[in-house]
Amino acid sequence: MNKQRFAARGYRHRFEPLVTLLLVIVCGAGLAPLARNNTGQRSRRAAPLTSHPVASLSAEERETVARAGVVICKERSIDPKGSVPIDDMQGRPSLPVQSPEAIAGARRAQRFLPLAKNLVVASLKQLAREYDFRRSQNLQRAIARVAAVRSIKPDMGSRDNASVFLKSPHTIVFGTIFLAGLPSDEGVISVLAHELVHIADGSEDGLNLLFQAIGNRASKLTSSKIHDQRAEELTCDLVGTLATRSYISSTPSYEPLPRRLARALEHNCVDQDEGDDDHLSPRKTIQALLALSPELAHALVYAR
């Protein structure tokens, strides 16, 4: 089984090898990745997640979540290191691997890969406690798979996508447009974390129960249907936000806290907000993540 994560408007998808072969034969060409989104003052340590997730948000929390979504996209528009929205990325011409922007992006991603792996492991353990995920063997295998990832591969053909393939579990493939569209450290860490969770899940879907628990909670909080692949994609994004928050906490900066936090999500600030059966739309992804993490929404709105 292959897993891919597409950062335009369809996020990453899974394909069984036989099904993929049949589709290639029928279509007469390779599979075209769905476009979609996927795959961050002074910093202070992020508040810990509660041990028992709440089933609903208060009126005040719902208002804060809505305001935080506005903050994210406002920060993107004024941040010199703001991420390019994924629908904007899709319309850009292909970027050679040797272009300065692609080289800089690939070097940044490779440099942050070891740290991102550590942050993902810590975030998965945190979520396992919060969501009562007791499959310790599955979690340990997931952690081992994360530890085995070694390299970033820039790829011109992947354009505005980032993907992982379980036949090559040690590598994350980044489209050169995507690399160039994530100029901040926080943005890159968020996407790296997302891809690492796909690898952590493995071919046997070892984290499926965790994905479904998070999807069920998000469904109740947002009144959206977030199950199956949507739940996995949202969990990957949730780990991306947790990893980014941990990074910000450990690297104090004079940049405003909301600006740094926004970088983990602002590539979702699209004009064309479309989803599919496997993925929430980019802006609904922001809403769901903020609903799952009201403390993140509070930090974005109140800068603390």
Side-chain angles (χ1 to χ4, degrees), residues 4-7 11-12 38-39 162-164 178 191 194-195 198:
Q4 302 188 70
R5 174 253 191 225
F6 298 110
Y11 275 120
R12 35 279 121 199
N38 268 86
T39 266
S163 26
V164 295
F178 202 28
V191 174
H194 184 120
E195 299 304 329
H198 282 303

Side-chain angles (χ1 to χ4, degrees), residues 17 23 65 82 95 98 123 174 189 236 240 243 251 259 265 271 280 299 303:
L23 286 173
V65 164
L95 196 63
Q98 293 303 317
S123 298
F174 269 87
I189 287 172
C236 292
T251 56
R259 176 164 298 178
L265 294 169
D271 291 326
L280 292 171

Side-chain angles (χ1 to χ4, degrees), residues 72-93:
I72 289 169
C73 295
K74 180 179 178 181
E75 285 294 340
R76 191 212 68 79
S77 67
I78 61 177
D79 182 6
K81 296 181 181 179
S83 299
V84 177
I86 53 178
D87 58 343
D88 187 342
M89 291 187 200
Q90 288 178 297
R92 299 193 174 195

